[in-house]
Amino acid sequence: MDEYLVKRETFDNVMMPNYAPQAMIPVRGKGSRIWDQMGNEYIDFAGGIAVSALGHCHPDLVNALQNQSNKLWHLSNVFTNEPALKLAQRLTQSTFADKVFFCNSGTEANEAAFKLARKYAFDTVGAEKNEIIACNSSFHGRSLFSVAVGGQPKYREGFAPLPEGIRHVPFNDLDSLEQCISDKICAVVIEPIQGEGGVKPATLAFLEGARALCNQHNALLIFDEVQTGMGRTGYLYAYMYTGVIPDILTTAKALGAGFPIGATLASNKVADSFSFGSHGSTYGGNPLACSVALEAFNIINDEQLLAEIPRKHNKFTHHLSLLNEKYNLFNDIRGKGLLIGAELKGSWQGKAKNFLAAAASEGVMLLVAGPNILRIAPSLIIPDEDIQQGMEKLEKAIAKIVKRQ
């Protein structure tokens, strides 16, 4: 017997139990299709949680990785490298930002953003200006600082004492934000669309009001675009459809289209507070990650590709609406672009994972966003026929669940 033969049970034997993966083990992907160990095929509506923005094994990304792998993998932050500089140029040319800090994940990008906000306030005002306001139900990562800023108590439980100086207000509640903000606040952090919090878009009034309050109180506005960034909403970054410009923006997930990379973007005045030695990352900005991300950026930041995303959004929501008419499952179908949430209603609430498992058994990969939300975040270039076939498979899964009810 091959000692390296692995099954789902192997996970329970050798991995820490902080995840509960599905029964099947994917081994290969191409485009928006996945195959497991047994050769079963799945249509991928999950996209690695909004990461695989160009599907699996996109040939241009494969070529970029292979070419760079034969040149240079790693240096250190004692040196810079060409792929990192080229990617930083693209990011600054295409956004509000003047400077970029590279890291390896969304958590790290947010950690850097929160540290930068406090450092900027320390440099320009003093140590007393150190508080951060975030939103209830928000998610900003899993480090101690980022779970403290995040607005979901379940992720903080058992990890006290937490970093202090953090306040939370209801999402989209401008009055509460206005009551909470003061001159002690160094930053307000908002997701333009709450992903893990239920695929809830921020209202334009909330974002505009937050910007005005930050200006009034000399606080920085941080947009966490880890999930909404890199074309997910039909814009390169979601702030672009709002017209509200942040001082700091975080990006990861689809930035590398599957290769781990994150970045914190900022204006010059803010970025200067990350002076020499004030922050760092061993692997951040490594040539392999930046080469793949540069290729992904060049593909995604294309008018024709971005223009297709609203049309694909409409195809998904149309199918979901038809399913809702037939099975009466959803209170709401919401989101923007290819970040879509369907909120379960009534007796179906709390059972989102049941739909995820049933969908997988029918050959389609879904996500949840908490116990009540089915979430869809597929490749930005998913073919129409994959949408059609995937929704047909989803209907079979739903029909079986409804029949068992």
Side-chain angles (χ1 to χ4, degrees):
M1 181 179 177
D2 185 351
E3 64 177 307
Y4 296 111
L5 180 66
V6 295
K7 300 182 293 184
R8 171 59 182 82
E9 292 77 11
T10 307
F11 179 95
D12 299 326
N13 294 332
V14 300
M15 303 286 281
M16 292 190 185
N18 54 311
Y19 301 122
Q22 295 292 304
M24 56 87 164
I25 299 179
V27 296
R28 182 169 62 91
K30 188 70 175 175
S32 289
R33 304 274 174 151
I34 287 277
W35 291 266
D36 68 13
Q37 288 175 312
M38 308 305 294
N40 298 311
E41 183 180 84
Y42 304 83
I43 295 175
D44 186 3
F45 284 177
I49 313 183
V51 169
S52 303
L54 297 173
H56 301 277
C57 297
H58 190 290
D60 293 344
L61 302 187
V62 172
N63 288 338
L65 180 59
Q66 289 178 338
N67 289 339
Q68 187 60 43
S69 71
N70 288 314
K71 295 177 182 178
L72 189 65
W73 285 31
H74 176 74
L75 290 163
S76 72
N77 49 35
V78 176
F79 304 93
T80 189
N81 65 80
E82 290 181 347
L85 295 176
K86 289 178 180 178
L87 179 58
Q89 281 183 326
R90 297 291 196 281
L91 285 165
T92 55
Q93 289 166 358
S94 302
T95 69
F96 73 93
D98 301 304
K99 297 288 172 58
V100 179
F101 168 77
F102 287 122
C103 51
N104 309 287
S105 68
T107 291
E108 290 180 42
N110 282 330
E111 186 88 9
F114 306 151
K115 287 180 67 177
L116 177 58
R118 281 187 169 171
K119 184 65 163 53
Y120 173 77
F122 179 88
D123 291 346
T124 57
V125 178
E128 69 279 5
K129 190 177 181 67
N130 58 45
E131 296 184 4
I132 295 171
I133 297 176
C135 295
N136 294 340
S137 300
S138 63
F139 182 85
H140 300 296
R142 297 285 196 149
S143 68
L144 207 58
F145 197 175
S146 61
V147 295
V149 176
Q152 299 193 48
K154 65 182 179 182
Y155 294 128
R156 301 195 291 267
E157 185 176 348
F159 298 112
L162 298 168
E164 298 179 345
I166 299 159
R167 304 184 182 189
H168 293 91
V169 298
F171 188 57
N172 279 332
D173 188 335
L174 187 58
D175 289 340
S176 293
L177 178 59
E178 186 170 10
Q179 291 171 18
C180 187
I181 200 166
S182 72
D183 290 340
K184 289 185 178 181
I185 302 300
C186 70
V188 175
V189 55
I190 300 172
E191 297 165 275
I193 302 175
Q194 287 192 337
E196 305 303 316
V199 193
K200 299 174 184 174
T203 64
L204 182 58
F206 184 62
L207 297 178
E208 290 177 340
R211 177 72 275 178
L213 288 169
C214 285
N215 293 345
Q216 181 181 339
H217 291 276
N218 192 25
L220 301 179
L221 180 61
I222 302 172
F223 278 178
D224 177 342
E225 292 230 35
V226 169
Q227 194 155 159
T228 55
M230 289 298 292
R232 181 59 50 186
T233 65
Y235 293 77
L236 183 63
Y237 287 99
Y239 83 86
M240 294 173 173
Y241 74 76
T242 71
V244 178
I245 311 299
D247 301 291
I248 302 174
L249 180 146
T250 58
T251 180
K253 286 190 179 288
L255 178 62
F259 202 100
I261 186 171
T264 305
L265 283 58
S267 59
N268 269 328
K269 73 167 188 175
V270 177
D272 286 346
S273 284
F274 261 0
S275 54
F276 178 73
S278 59
H279 192 58
S281 169
T282 295
Y283 293 106
N286 78 81
L288 279 176
C290 290
S291 291
V292 177
L294 178 62
E295 187 64 30
F297 187 93
N298 289 338
I299 295 170
I300 293 170
N301 191 28
D302 174 80
E303 287 185 8
Q304 201 167 8
L305 184 150
L306 294 173
E308 276 286 283
I309 292 173
R311 187 186 65 80
K312 293 179 187 291
H313 169 93
N314 290 338
K315 286 188 73 69
F316 274 107
T317 55
H318 173 70
H319 283 291
L320 289 169
S321 295
L322 292 177
L323 289 175
N324 199 31
E325 289 176 13
K326 188 171 183 178
Y327 298 102
N328 194 29
L329 292 172
F330 307 130
N331 275 326
D332 190 22
I333 299 167
R334 58 180 178 252
K336 190 172 179 64
L338 290 175
L339 181 57
I340 299 166
E343 183 182 7
L344 294 168
K345 69 190 305 182
S347 62
W348 299 111
Q349 291 211 340
K351 299 178 180 179
K353 286 188 176 179
N354 295 358
F355 289 86
L356 188 150
S361 71
E362 291 297 327
V364 62
M365 299 167 69
L366 283 181
L367 296 169
V368 298
N372 302 325
I373 311 293
L374 306 184
R375 177 171 36 158
I376 293 173
S379 163
L380 304 182
I381 56 172
I382 183 171
D384 286 356
E385 55 267 31
D386 285 3
I387 298 174
Q388 179 67 39
Q389 291 178 30
M391 295 306 296
E392 290 171 0
K393 292 174 183 291
L394 178 58
E395 178 166 8
K396 289 181 181 178
I398 288 172
K400 287 184 178 179
I401 290 178
V402 170
K403 188 176 181 179
R404 291 197 299 264
Q405 181 77 352

